[in-house]
Amino acid sequence: MSALLDSLLSASKADVLADSAKYWNPDKVRAWAARGTPLVIGRREGYHLYDMSGHRLIDLHLNGGTYNLGHRNPEIIAELKEALDHFDMGNHHFPAIGRAALAKKLVETAPANMRYAVLSSGGGEAIDIGLKCARYGTKRRKIVSIEKAYHGHTGLALGTADGRYADQFMSAGRPDEFVKVPFNDLAAMEAALASGDAACVIMETIPATYGFPMPADGYLPAVKALCEKYGSLYVADEVQTGLMRCGSGHLWGITGYGVTPDIIVTSKGLSGGLYPIGAVITNAAGGGWLNEDGWGHISTFGGSELGCVAALKTLEITLRPETIANVDAVAAKLRAGLDAIRARHPFFTGIRQRGVIFGLEFNGHPQGGKIVMRELYAKGIWAIFSQLDQRVLQFKPGLLLTPADCDEILERTAAGIAAAAASF
Ligand SMILES: Cc1ncc(COP(=O)(O)O)c(C=O)c1O
């Protein structure tokens, strides 16, 4: 082992916490301690995380789907290790083997209207690219998003976000440029679009940070129809809902609702959890600038060649028939088990679900999701509360879980929820 790695791996948890509090992010260190989840991830393997103390956790947070295929997926690691003998990040100004192959794969596996894929270094950057494409394609500035939206912390993305994220940096979008409407409210959406000056609507197919409220029947197709009526583009943020998480064989959650978007944004899981990358898949209108001014968006790390290898392998594994079938099996098994747990606990008030996306509602307490998070942590389950609706616990199982993994998840979840009863 190298001297550097040896010294890193011999650090104690107390040292890491002390240095993190001093040099990295004091508030985060304090907040996780106060919440009873003082995690510093040491070993990680498959769907298991180990706190540096040795405490083992099954990961049902997955960093929003980053670890869809597990931590340190051996197939992706093997591919990346070999790739390191041939590639580095590459030079973003030039065409490259990996970029060409990944862009082709993303366009070929997307709805037929899609024409180009623009590659980024992460999700926020990809959102900004998607919004720029919409502005380019329509020659309009206004961007419509939902209240309680979260699309990342970059410039335009932050303009679409809830004030919780934007205000301290004076980054809330100008109200004439960034309009927010309640989710599932078609009349408000039409009012925002009817003036005919909106470049786009940007929405997550199921808004993650808001606790995965499910779109009402017909809502998403109706929003798309309004976009068409008023000449706006539909930007689907599939950073959390894409890459098969919605199940039923839909690589992108939005197509499962019968909607063909104009622009799709992806990241997180596209990286295989091993090398950062994001992408925007766009139709010809949004991507027209790629034909006129190829330097219209420049990003040194965007579409790094190693990231492209990780993404190509990730897509290959995700699109296998056995993976597709497994997602639906995991979704059904966990749903049945969660229904049984819910029947025993009146404070477990509801289950929101689409595929392997779950929002567990604990409505009896304004921070119900946070309370249950702490109890589950003690029982060996890592699942995170929803920042913008803290009654809800996000519960995000991986695509490759086995039936035995599901049994263990349900057993530990049942114990954690039972332990939370006293707090309600
Ligand atoms: C739905 C959604 N969009 C965009 C982003 C931004 O991605 P990143 O953190 O890679 O910038 C996130 C991150 O959590 C997200 O959840």
Side-chain angles (χ1 to χ4, degrees):
M1 188 183 292
S2 77
L4 172 65
L5 259 193
D6 189 41
S7 100
L8 288 174
L9 291 175
S10 60
S12 72
K13 179 170 175 179
D15 289 343
V16 175
L17 285 174
D19 284 348
S20 300
K22 188 164 175 195
Y23 300 110
W24 175 71
N25 191 322
D27 181 56
K28 274 190 177 171
V29 174
R30 280 192 303 267
W32 289 120
R35 291 167 186 165
T37 55
L39 176 63
V40 182
I41 300 169
R43 238 183 87 202
R44 56 214 82 181
E45 217 66 69
Y47 292 109
H48 294 147
L49 296 173
Y50 296 81
D51 178 55
M52 284 186 78
S53 68
H55 183 52
R56 172 182 174 273
L57 294 156
I58 305 178
D59 190 1
L60 288 158
H61 171 200
L62 302 180
N63 257 27
T66 304
Y67 302 105
N68 276 337
L69 303 180
H71 291 268
R72 307 184 60 257
N73 180 293
E75 288 189 83
I76 307 173
I77 288 186
E79 210 63 62
L80 267 179
K81 278 188 171 166
E82 252 192 88
L84 279 165
D85 290 335
H86 300 276
F87 301 115
D88 51 18
M89 286 193 294
N91 182 325
H92 60 299
H93 290 297
F94 296 99
I97 298 169
R99 278 194 285 280
L102 178 59
K104 183 176 178 192
K105 184 81 184 169
L106 287 167
V107 171
E108 282 181 353
T109 50
N113 63 325
M114 293 301 179
R115 185 69 187 77
Y116 303 106
V118 187
L119 305 176
S120 73
S121 57
E125 184 193 354
I127 293 288
D128 279 18
I129 296 169
L131 296 174
K132 290 196 290 188
C133 286
R135 282 181 164 177
Y136 174 90
T138 58
K139 311 297 176 223
R140 300 173 178 180
R141 288 183 71 83
K142 197 166 103 182
I143 292 166
V144 180
S145 59
I146 64 153
E147 289 169 5
K148 306 280 181 197
Y150 178 69
H151 299 288
H153 268 80
T154 47
L156 295 178
L158 203 48
T160 67
D162 188 79
R164 150 80 181 84
Y165 303 111
D167 291 347
Q168 70 177 327
F169 299 119
M170 292 161 279
S171 294
R174 282 176 34 183
D176 56 330
E177 280 187 39
F178 290 86
V179 174
K180 289 159 188 129
V181 300
F183 187 58
N184 274 335
D185 184 338
L186 272 177
M189 184 62 80
E190 179 147 25
L193 295 176
S195 43
D197 58 351
C200 64
V201 172
I202 179 166
M203 284 208 297
E204 276 190 275
T205 302
I206 308 169
T209 307
Y210 193 11
F212 294 126
M214 291 292 137
D217 277 351
Y219 173 67
L220 296 175
V223 172
K224 177 64 165 69
L226 287 173
C227 285
E228 284 169 13
K229 181 172 173 189
Y230 295 112
S232 307
L233 301 188
Y234 186 108
V235 182
D237 179 345
E238 289 275 335
V239 169
Q240 292 222 25
T241 51
L243 297 170
M244 214 59 81
R245 293 204 60 75
C246 285
S248 304
H250 287 279
L251 184 61
W252 307 115
I254 189 69
T255 63
Y257 286 93
V259 173
T260 301
D262 300 293
I263 294 169
I264 293 173
V265 180
T266 180
S267 190
K268 288 197 187 276
L270 190 66
S271 68
L274 284 160
Y275 208 100
I277 190 159
V280 175
I281 315 167
T282 176
N283 65 9
W289 58 274
L290 293 158
N291 240 326
E292 292 168 11
D293 176 6
W295 278 261
H297 180 86
I298 299 178
S299 170
T300 301
F301 298 150
S304 74
E305 292 185 49
L306 290 166
C308 289
V309 171
L312 282 162
K313 192 69 194 175
T314 295
L315 288 170
E316 182 204 314
I317 298 171
T318 304
L319 287 163
R320 286 178 189 156
E322 58 268 34
T323 305
I324 292 171
N326 198 58
V327 171
D328 291 347
V330 167
K333 187 168 171 64
L334 289 179
R335 178 58 194 246
L338 287 168
D339 278 338
I341 298 170
R342 186 164 94 87
R344 299 199 290 276
H345 298 291
F347 65 92
F348 185 0
T349 44
I351 299 176
R352 305 165 177 180
Q353 187 204 355
R354 181 101 173 162
V356 286
I357 288 171
F358 291 86
L360 311 187
E361 296 171 8
F362 300 94
N363 285 345
H365 190 291
Q367 298 197 323
K370 221 183 216 175
I371 292 168
V372 175
M373 172 183 81
R374 183 178 62 230
E375 300 297 345
L376 290 185
Y377 187 89
K379 304 288 186 218
I381 294 281
W382 173 232
I384 198 165
F385 70 100
S386 302
Q387 272 215 338
L388 297 179
D389 184 349
Q390 302 196 358
R391 300 166 308 168
V392 181
L393 184 79
Q394 299 180 10
F395 198 84
K396 300 183 262 199
L399 308 191
L400 304 178
L401 286 169
T402 64
D405 292 331
C406 294
D407 286 336
E408 188 184 350
I409 287 167
L410 289 168
E411 200 179 301
R412 291 176 184 276
T413 301
I417 290 177
S423 304
F424 289 84

